[in-house]
Amino acid sequence: MTNSRPGPVAFFLPAVRGGGAQRVIVNLIEGITERGVPVDLVLTAATGVFLAQLPSAARLVDLRAGRLRRTLGPLTSYLRRERPRVLVSSMSHANLVALWAARLAGRTTPVVVTEHNTLSAVEQGVLERGLWPPLMRLFYPWASHVVAVSQGAADDLAHTAGLPRDRVQVVYNPVITPALMALSRQAPDHPWFAPRQPPVILGVGRLTRQKDFPTLIRAFAEVRRRRASRLMILGEGEDQAALQALIGELGLADDVALPGFRDNAIAYMARSALFALSSAWEGLPTVLIEALAAGTRVVSTDCPSGPREILQEGRLGTLVPVGDAAALTGAMVDALDQPPVTAPLQALAPFTRDAAVDNYLRLIENA
């Protein structure tokens, strides 16, 4: 990458809490700094579990705004002062703030906006549903590049925001890294993975409606009736109490565990008999790619967007309808009786850190 514009590459996020989009940005920053490119990570508030994973070569910029709605002024000041060569923002609310701040700062910094989800499926209030598409239609054209993380998410973004489809570029996330594969060789700190224990079915994600873990728990109740097995769900979120109540109601307390967030989830994947994705919607489910990289059997809902692309139309894992507990039960029982499907290297190559860094540096160079 030539240094055609002074200043660092700046990534903007509200925070780096335990979500897929935040992990993706930290992976990108790590890969870009290893290429010798200076990087700033600009946060509304410097909080989140991934701060500890930020490479030392990157500079952390804490705007100390607390909430995203108070970020516009501090971000504008940062852009005027530092004049980064490009600002890469992630997630819809942050994208709009980034575009407005760049305009207020005098348009000296081009903005690349990225969407990590399937927007039409994301839960929003009545006011947001009415305002969001017009705001995107009005302001996303200000971006130098608009990026989505899967073909399905790009199609949905173009439709939802009223953008020409060729205006939305697809760049897969940098999921597979050397550090990730090193984590996969760790031993999970849980007694269920000791020798001669029943097989573990694993789910990973925030405990929210999007991940639809109630369907996974109900499906597992029938799996356990047919054969000895256990279910573990790694993650935190507002639905934890409701999920615990459902587990108790179904009499599964001894065989379902919710141990919380784990930053080495791939180690649990590598030693699980099966990975199950039950989401109602996604953008590009990072955990599904991680499970394939770990060599684990997978089943997934055929949700918008990403699983069908990742699993190559079902060749690398069974796809089932969203919210269909019976279909998920059948797929999980069948998968437990089958040997793992080893994903060929070429199937995983688009999701490596090097591939994503190459693509982002090309975008940045042409911003």
Side-chain angles (χ1 to χ4, degrees), residues 36-348:
V37 178
V39 172
D40 283 356
L41 174 60
V42 184
L43 300 176
T44 293
T47 60
V49 296
F50 293 127
L51 281 179
Q53 298 179 24
L54 188 67
S56 59
R59 184 177 68 144
L60 176 64
V61 178
D62 183 3
L63 298 179
R64 303 181 185 275
R67 303 291 295 274
L68 184 61
R69 64 173 179 262
R70 294 196 286 267
T71 303
L72 183 59
L75 182 58
T76 301
S77 297
Y78 163 81
L79 294 175
R80 285 174 177 160
R81 181 178 67 251
E82 302 295 339
R83 295 174 63 89
R85 69 179 71 178
V86 68
L87 179 66
V88 182
S89 64
S90 296
M91 299 181 290
S92 303
H93 292 71
N95 289 342
L96 287 177
V97 171
L99 291 166
W100 295 335
R103 182 62 63 98
L104 289 172
R107 292 187 288 183
T108 57
T109 300
V111 179
V112 176
V113 300
T114 62
E115 290 287 352
H116 290 260
N117 224 323
T118 299
L119 288 180
S120 66
V122 175
E123 287 184 290
Q124 299 179 48
V126 173
L127 182 62
E128 287 179 304
R129 283 200 301 271
L131 286 178
W132 214 243
L135 285 174
M136 297 171 75
R137 191 173 298 120
L138 185 60
F139 295 113
Y140 271 33
W142 290 4
S144 295
H145 297 288
V146 179
V147 175
V149 296
S150 68
Q151 296 292 343
D155 293 343
D156 183 81
L157 173 58
H159 176 76
T160 301
L163 296 169
R165 179 57 183 82
D166 61 5
R167 183 76 171 86
V168 184
Q169 302 177 64
V170 175
V171 179
Y172 289 131
N173 286 336
V175 177
I176 303 171
T177 69
L180 181 77
M181 300 316 296
L183 285 176
S184 74
R185 295 186 285 273
Q186 292 183 353
D189 183 20
H190 198 283
W192 284 6
F193 295 98
R196 295 180 294 280
Q197 293 297 308
V200 174
I201 299 169
L202 187 71
V204 178
R206 283 194 55 78
L207 308 183
T208 64
R209 180 176 172 270
Q210 175 184 357
K211 306 303 181 181
D212 194 13
F213 287 128
T215 293
L216 177 57
I217 292 168
R218 292 189 178 96
F220 170 74
E222 179 61 21
V223 172
R224 193 197 63 162
R225 193 181 69 79
R226 299 186 194 182
R227 59 179 298 167
S229 53
R230 286 166 168 164
L231 173 66
M232 179 180 293
I233 300 173
L234 302 180
E236 299 172 343
E238 59 267 27
D239 287 355
Q240 180 160 350
L243 294 176
Q244 292 283 13
L246 177 61
I247 291 164
E249 175 188 325
L250 296 175
L252 298 174
D254 291 337
D255 294 308
V256 180
L258 305 179
F261 174 82
R262 294 291 185 273
D263 60 8
N264 63 338
I266 192 169
Y268 290 73
M269 294 173 185
R271 286 153 186 82
S272 295
L274 175 66
F275 179 81
L277 185 87
S278 54
S279 297
W281 71 89
E282 290 283 352
L284 186 80
T286 297
V287 290
L288 195 56
I289 299 166
E290 291 177 349
L292 289 175
T296 308
R297 302 176 186 91
V298 298
V299 300
S300 175
T301 52
D302 190 14
C303 69
S305 301
R308 182 165 288 272
E309 289 176 52
I310 295 166
L311 297 181
Q312 297 188 349
E313 307 294 323
R315 288 187 290 275
L316 301 180
T318 303
L319 294 161
V320 300
V322 171
D324 189 333
L328 186 55
T329 294
M332 289 194 293
V333 170
D334 289 346
L336 288 172
D337 291 333
Q338 300 296 323
V341 176
T342 302
L345 291 177
Q346 62 267 30
L348 297 176

